[in-house]
Amino acid sequence: MLTTVPFDRLSPRRVPWVTFAVVLLWIGAFVYAGHVESVPGLVREQVTPATLLAHWLFPATGAQLLMGSLLLLCLGPVLEEAWGPPFLAGFLPVMAVYTGGAYLAFPPESTRPLVGGAGMLAAALGACIVRQWKDGIRYTAVYWYQGVRHAEFWIPAYVLPGLWFAAEVVMELGAEGAGPTRGLSYSGQAAGFALGGVIAFALRHYD
């Protein structure tokens, strides 16, 4: 388990449950997608409320599931501890829908359906960078090895864009040639990154 709460202050209430729940949703949706012919993806000519609201739940490939989950496990606990679980539980899906709309508002970079939470992750990235730029992030990793153990480490906030870029490269290499991909949604990601940063700045300024 990865959290930003120091081990001696960790309690069941401060575990990043929302972050873990989204990762589990992605895993469940990925397994479900393997048993159906198609999943809700955003296509400009065939937009429906269902595809707009649910496209972010379905990772297109194993690489997208893996890298998206790792990114969220790095970004989510920071925001969940800072903002509280209820706010993050609303922030993530709202950003997913918003970035999906931004993707549709510009000429699409791909003709394939847009699926996955790349835009939502970009919003979380922008928020984390703005909020933690001066302070960096101190993580606590809790694991089981002959009993419960923990390790703490600190990373500067400017490392986060590097992690995001590495995830983008891996997801690009793992994209399927003919099937649905995350849609190369750079317009949506840019819009999400900007709005996530603005929200984090406003919340920190008016804390």
Side-chain angles (χ1 to χ4, degrees):
M1 180 179 72
L2 192 66
T3 178
T4 56
V5 182
F7 185 75
D8 59 348
R9 303 178 192 173
L10 190 60
S11 67
R13 293 186 61 183
R14 299 185 74 179
V15 171
W17 296 114
V18 172
T19 300
F20 295 157
V22 173
V23 172
L24 290 175
L25 277 175
W26 279 344
I27 294 173
F30 184 75
V31 173
Y32 169 78
H35 295 83
V36 297
E37 294 183 359
S38 63
V39 297
L42 277 184
V43 181
R44 181 185 292 270
E45 295 79 11
Q46 303 173 359
V47 180
T48 67
T51 58
L52 184 60
L53 293 174
H55 73 279
W56 62 277
L57 288 172
F58 296 90
T61 64
Q64 186 180 16
L65 173 62
L66 175 62
M67 300 311 298
S69 298
L70 289 176
L71 267 178
L72 187 60
L73 289 173
C74 289
L75 302 173
V78 180
L79 301 178
E80 193 162 346
E81 176 64 16
W83 295 346
F87 192 94
L88 185 67
F91 174 83
L92 292 178
V94 167
M95 288 298 100
V97 174
Y98 162 74
T99 55
Y103 166 77
L104 294 172
F106 294 93
E109 302 94 342
S110 171
T111 58
R112 303 170 189 164
L114 171 65
V115 293
M120 179 184 74
L121 289 171
L125 174 66
C128 281
I129 290 176
V130 169
R131 182 171 183 87
Q132 302 296 138
W133 185 260
K134 293 182 179 179
D135 304 327
I137 305 169
R138 184 173 296 278
Y139 287 106
T140 299
V142 182
Y143 57 97
W144 178 271
Y145 178 71
Q146 298 179 348
V148 178
R149 300 176 182 269
H150 71 280
E152 296 189 357
F153 59 95
W154 177 89
I155 64 171
Y158 60 76
V159 171
L160 296 177
L163 295 176
W164 174 83
F165 180 77
E168 288 293 302
V169 171
V170 172
M171 287 190 286
E172 187 73 30
L173 294 176
E176 296 178 355
T181 71
R182 55 194 178 81
L184 305 177
S185 57
Y186 300 123
S187 58
Q189 291 182 58
F193 182 89
L195 184 56
V198 169
I199 291 174
F201 177 81
L203 289 175
R204 186 163 189 172
H205 183 71
Y206 295 106
D207 231 4

